[in-house]
Amino acid sequence: PLHKVFTMIEIAQNEFCERIGTVLLINVPPIFQLTWKLIQPLVHERVAPRVKLFGTDWRREVLQLIDEDNLPTTLGGLREETPVV
């Protein structure tokens, strides 16, 4: 799993850095939050501040960043999701 995380970070910061607004990770287990604190210094300074991790108490903070109309219904929002075929 750690290899996959580093691969995703490498792609994000090398290929899509200017396109990334904010990356929201919700329901993140405490062990990953700790891992992120260790990995974060290795992530480019333009990308790291854009990554936001939230545990189980995420809803109030996320709704300050995303309108409820854009939050998927599976996360308690109002936007209907299109299934991936």
Side-chain angles (χ1 to χ4, degrees), residues 2-84:
L2 199 53
H3 174 71
K4 290 180 181 180
V5 169
F6 281 120
T7 301
M8 289 181 355
I9 290 170
E10 182 179 354
I11 291 170
Q13 68 186 12
N14 294 337
E15 305 297 333
F16 302 106
C17 183
E18 285 75 26
R19 299 191 78 161
I20 295 173
T22 303
V23 177
L24 303 175
L25 301 171
I26 60 170
N27 292 326
V28 176
I31 189 70
F32 188 79
Q33 292 180 12
L34 177 63
T35 305
W36 174 246
K37 289 181 182 181
L38 298 173
I39 294 172
Q40 190 173 7
L42 303 174
V43 178
H44 195 280
E45 62 189 23
R46 292 184 301 173
V47 176
R50 300 176 190 183
V51 177
K52 311 284 187 210
L53 278 67
F54 300 97
T56 55
D57 187 25
W58 57 269
R59 188 165 174 77
R60 182 177 45 84
E61 293 180 67
V62 169
L63 286 176
Q64 291 176 358
L65 301 169
I66 298 176
D67 188 51
E68 192 173 29
D69 293 337
N70 292 322
L71 194 65
T73 55
T74 55
L75 296 175
L78 302 174
R79 189 188 66 141
E80 292 294 327
E81 298 178 62
T82 305
V84 178

